[in-house]
Amino acid sequence: MKEHISGIVLGTVKHSDRHNVTSIYTRERGRMAFLSPAGASKSSRQTSARLQPLSIIEAEANITTTKDLHSLSAIFPIKVWRSLYYEPLKSTVVLFLSEFLNKLLREAPSEPRLWDFIANSLSIFDATENRIEAANFHITFLISLSYMMGIQPDVSEYRDGMEFDMKSGSMVYPYNVMPNNNLHIDALRSAFLPSLIRINYANSKHFRFSGKDRSELIALILKYYGLHFPGCDNLKSLEIIKEIFT
C-alpha cells in the first residue's frame, strides 16, 4: 500500500551489503523503519544525502502491513538545511539530538504536535546566527521538549532551600529525601531551576553558561530523561558535546 508521508530522519544503520535501515519519525504513523539502498552508486549516494540525520523529508512509502520494514520512493526534502550540517557547532548538536531522539522515540506513535515541535525547532536552529543561542539550543530544546513529553519539572511550589526530586519531577525539602538518594538535585543548583525552566528560543541568548556549567546541566537533564524514558541518558555523543562546549 502506497502512502504519502512527512518524516524526520532519526538515523541509519547498515542492514546488508545492499541495504541500510533508516528510522524515520513520521507525522502520519509515528516511528517507522525503511530499507534504503547502500553502496556507491549515484542513486544510493543521492538517497543517503536525503536521509541524513534530522533531515525533514516527504516521500511515498510502500507500506507492508505484515512486515516491520518498508520502502521509500520519490524522496524530497521539505526543508533544505543551510547550516546544520556545515557549521561544526551545529553539526555536533545534530549528532547529539539525532541519537537522543532515536532513543526517546523508540516506539513512538503518531503525535502531530510533537512532530511539528521538532520540525519547527530544527528550522529555528538552522536559522540561528547568534552563537549563544546556538550553544544553548540543545538545552533549550530538551527543556521545551519535556513539556511535550509530559515530564516538565514542576517548580510551582519552590521555596528557598528546596531540592528537585528527579523521580517525582517536583520540589521537596531535604528532610523529605531518603539518605544517599542520588536522584535529587541539591538546593544550590535547584534554586536556578525556576529560572531555567522558562528558557525558550526567544530568550535563550540571555542565559550565559560556562563550559563546565553547560556540561553539568546537560548531564543532569539527560539523567532526568533517563529516569522517565530508560536509555535516553546513555548517549555516545555526550562526551563529544561536552568537549566542544568546554
Side-chain angles (χ1 to χ4, degrees):
M1 178 178 65
K2 285 194 174 184
E3 183 176 320
H4 184 83
I5 64 162
S6 302
I8 299 170
V9 179
L10 301 177
T12 298
V13 296
K14 186 177 179 61
H15 179 65
S16 68
D17 291 339
R18 296 179 57 195
H19 293 99
N20 296 322
V21 173
T22 298
S23 296
I24 299 178
Y25 183 53
T26 72
R27 196 174 191 275
E28 297 79 11
R29 287 177 169 261
R31 183 180 180 130
M32 301 182 73
F34 297 92
L35 285 174
S36 56
S41 68
K42 182 178 180 181
S43 62
S44 295
R45 293 197 306 271
Q46 289 176 339
T47 299
S48 296
R50 292 170 180 168
L51 296 177
Q52 293 185 76
L54 301 190
S55 294
I56 301 182
I57 60 146
E58 59 182 2
E60 293 296 325
N62 300 305
I63 299 172
T64 306
T65 56
T66 58
K67 296 181 180 180
D68 294 327
L69 289 176
H70 314 284
S71 61
L72 294 172
S73 60
I75 305 169
F76 296 100
I78 294 177
K79 296 281 188 178
V80 177
W81 303 134
R82 64 180 180 84
S83 66
L84 294 191
Y85 302 133
Y86 312 111
E87 296 180 11
L89 184 150
K90 289 186 177 182
S91 64
T92 302
V93 173
V94 165
L95 176 68
F96 169 77
L97 290 182
S98 62
E99 184 183 5
F100 172 79
L101 289 172
N102 204 356
K103 291 178 178 289
L104 179 70
L105 304 175
R106 188 174 299 156
E107 297 179 358
S110 172
E111 182 56 62
R113 288 181 64 250
L114 175 59
W115 193 96
D116 290 343
F117 167 77
I118 297 171
N120 291 336
S121 295
L122 293 173
S123 293
I124 290 170
F125 189 34
D126 186 57
T128 296
E129 296 181 352
N130 182 285
R131 184 167 178 82
I132 295 174
E133 290 178 347
N136 287 344
F137 177 81
H138 57 309
I139 293 172
T140 310
F141 176 82
L142 292 178
I143 291 176
S144 301
L145 181 65
S146 70
Y147 172 77
M148 304 295 298
M149 301 304 297
I151 61 167
Q152 184 180 47
D154 181 5
V155 299
S156 60
E157 301 296 323
Y158 174 76
R159 300 293 183 274
D160 287 348
M162 297 184 81
E163 300 179 346
F164 181 65
D165 182 343
M166 289 193 284
K167 189 172 183 179
S168 68
S170 60
M171 292 291 186
V172 298
Y173 282 104
Y175 50 75
N176 290 331
V177 177
M178 294 292 291
N180 302 318
N181 184 353
N182 64 353
L183 300 182
H184 69 103
I185 299 174
D186 63 66
L188 183 62
R189 289 181 292 180
S190 293
F192 181 58
L193 191 54
S195 296
L196 182 65
I197 206 69
R198 293 196 291 269
I199 195 171
N200 57 49
Y201 299 130
N203 66 21
S204 65
K205 63 179 175 289
H206 301 301
F207 287 76
R208 306 296 179 98
F209 304 108
S210 68
K212 181 181 178 181
D213 289 341
R214 188 177 281 108
S215 294
E216 182 178 295
L217 181 56
I218 198 64
L220 286 172
I221 293 173
L222 288 180
K223 184 175 182 179
Y224 180 60
Y225 267 95
L227 284 171
H228 299 276
F229 301 97
C232 287
D233 54 338
N234 185 23
L235 303 184
K236 295 178 181 178
S237 57
L238 178 58
E239 291 305 314
I240 302 174
I241 278 284
K242 288 181 178 179
E243 182 177 335
I244 198 168
F245 287 114
T246 298

